Amino acid sequence: MKDTFLDANFPKTADGRVYHLGLRMGEVANRIIAVGPPSRAEDIATFLDERSEDLFRLTSERAFLTITGHYKGVPVSIVSIGMGNPNMDFVVREVRECVQGDMLMVRIGSCGCLDESLPVGSLVVPSASVAVNRNYDFDFQSSPSNDNAYLISKPVIALSTSNNAPSVCPEPEPAVEIKCNTVNASADSFYSSQGRLTSFLDHNEDLIERLQARVPNLSTLEMETFHLFHLASVWRPRPLEGNHLTIPPTNLPVDPTISPRSSKFTALPSSPAQAKSINLHSESAPAARIRAAAVHMVFANRITGDFVTPERAESLQKWAGEKVLQALAGFAVDASRLHPEEGSVWES
Ligand code: R1P
Ligand code: URA
């Protein structure tokens, strides 16, 4: 860590960069695709309007990658978040601090599928998700039964399925089988909490059957969607002192690697005159909100035991990426609910 951070509650550099993603206001757009690996982010970024070398790219010290550009003229960001609910937590909370107005976040992630009829290489669009967590109070060393070894939460719904939010369920095409309106389970591990058997005392031999019995319409298992849906449902705009957040003008060194280096992208406020006072919570505007959705790519079918080929995985993530970009860009959001273009990295 090379930077000086100012506030233990929500650490930021003097020029407003958040601790783990390295972003600041104006570098991430209201419409966001969240993916696991950086290669998926780069694959999807090939559909953006800009030439690759002209896109805003920021890699944080913690390896979160943010790419910001336009899709058919609409500002979008693609964020590579790594794996698991803790990483999703960093992303949702820190992006939220860096963008004014609504946040529309769609996760495109791989999953294991519990529906035998859906082959690897299919897409699933869940409308709800439950959390599956290892119960650390359970006696893993000597319990004779598996009861309560895993905690299964009640479902939280995707905000895409209600209230004028973007539909990310694409029209069916012969090339890709798609199933919508299923239920997902987000586990706190790839192995034990998804019922995979290894050499550890996990008490999970019957976990998949238990999940299927407990959760109607359960279709996919992965590791981030529940937390995205949950945070979207519990976020409320926080009144700030004086209703304004002022980004101080500093040129302090920061850790993130930002490209392109020489363009306007690195020139966010650099003189006192350019320092912006952003009105985060105007009383006249309806409260900002987070809308969340997920598209799951079936990489593993847990019933048949099949696993996707690398070629199919790559073509599927590009196909899904383009469909989600279309859905996000096509979803109308009033300009008053969007981050101001002026001073942003997507300013034309
Ligand atoms: C496990 O292999 C990872 O793959 C899935 C899981 O949620 C977990 O992050 O998602 P991604 O393909 O988006 O990483
Ligand atoms: N990602 C997961 O979390 N589980 C799978 O089975 C495949 C991808």
Side-chain angles (χ1 to χ4, degrees):
M1 189 184 96
K2 304 182 210 86
D3 299 319
T4 303
F5 289 89
L6 297 182
D7 176 2
N9 181 61
F10 206 106
K12 284 186 189 171
T13 58
D15 57 348
R17 293 199 178 280
V18 291
Y19 190 18
H20 305 90
L21 272 70
L23 294 165
R24 63 179 170 181
M25 281 277 186
E27 292 180 342
V28 60
N30 298 85
R31 294 172 168 90
I32 303 147
I33 295 180
V35 302
S39 59
R40 189 178 303 149
E42 293 290 356
D43 270 358
I44 297 172
T46 59
F47 294 108
L48 299 186
D49 301 344
E50 290 83 356
R51 291 179 310 170
S52 176
E53 61 270 30
D54 292 337
L55 289 165
F56 171 83
R57 265 191 196 78
L58 184 152
T59 306
S60 77
E61 196 195 7
R62 298 284 183 165
F64 292 98
L65 165 68
T66 302
I67 303 174
T68 298
H70 295 84
Y71 179 74
K72 298 199 191 305
V74 178
V76 291
S77 291
I78 305 164
V79 185
S80 153
I81 75 164
M83 291 183 278
N85 285 331
N87 271 17
M88 182 57 91
D89 195 78
F90 286 125
V91 170
V92 175
R93 290 179 196 270
E94 293 194 0
V95 165
R96 187 59 274 180
E97 290 292 309
C98 297
V99 67
Q100 186 182 353
D102 287 357
M103 240 173 92
L104 286 73
M105 186 175 278
V106 181
R107 160 166 160 73
I108 302 180
S110 65
C111 71
C113 184
L114 300 176
D115 182 340
E116 191 172 5
S117 70
L118 273 178
V120 293
S122 309
L123 286 184
V124 180
V125 181
S127 52
S129 180
V130 299
V132 182
N133 289 307
R134 190 175 178 93
N135 178 7
Y136 292 103
D137 289 333
F138 177 82
D139 181 1
F140 279 90
Q141 287 190 39
S142 51
S143 173
S145 99
N146 291 349
D147 285 355
N148 299 320
Y150 295 85
L151 305 173
I152 304 165
S153 77
K154 61 185 181 187
V156 60
I157 62 157
L159 290 185
S160 62
T161 57
S162 65
N163 210 353
N164 191 26
S167 165
V168 290
C169 203
E171 290 297 314
E173 281 183 25
V176 179
E177 202 160 325
I178 302 165
K179 190 161 182 186
C180 297
N181 295 321
T182 63
V183 178
N184 165 67
S186 291
D188 64 354
S189 80
F190 180 81
Y191 294 103
S192 64
S193 303
Q194 293 188 29
R196 289 189 161 92
L197 306 180
T198 69
S199 54
F200 293 81
L201 294 175
D202 286 325
H203 290 267
N204 66 347
E205 296 78 8
D206 54 357
L207 179 58
I208 288 185
E209 291 75 18
R210 283 173 187 259
L211 282 167
Q212 286 173 318
R214 251 300 272 288
V215 185
N217 204 17
L218 178 63
S219 177
T220 55
L221 276 169
E222 47 75 87
M223 296 176 63
E224 296 85 8
T225 297
F226 177 87
H227 201 58
L228 170 61
F229 291 178
H230 172 70
L231 287 181
S233 72
V234 298
W235 181 74
R236 299 290 179 274
R238 171 169 49 99
L240 294 174
E241 221 171 292
N243 238 12
H244 284 72
L245 175 71
T246 301
I247 301 173
T250 101
N251 283 325
L252 282 182
V254 287
D255 275 340
T257 309
I258 300 175
S259 64
R261 265 277 158 215
S262 59
S263 75
K264 65 183 169 137
F265 295 145
T266 53
L268 282 179
S270 56
S271 73
Q274 286 174 288
K276 288 196 180 354
S277 181
I278 294 177
N279 187 348
L280 285 173
H281 306 290
S282 151
E283 269 163 30
S284 57
R289 57 183 298 191
I290 302 177
R291 303 169 196 266
V295 174
H296 293 159
M297 303 176 292
V298 178
F299 277 16
N301 189 302
R302 297 299 307 285
I303 310 300
T304 63
D306 293 339
F307 204 89
V308 75
T309 62
E311 296 75 25
R312 178 64 180 165
E314 194 183 332
S315 67
L316 185 64
Q317 69 192 20
K318 282 191 123 174
W319 193 88
E322 190 176 18
K323 296 292 173 195
V324 171
L325 283 168
Q326 286 166 1
L328 274 175
F331 182 71
V333 182
D334 191 85
S336 66
R337 304 182 70 86
L338 292 173
H339 192 94
E341 186 174 321
E342 194 196 339
S344 71
V345 299
W346 60 87
E347 186 175 0
S348 46

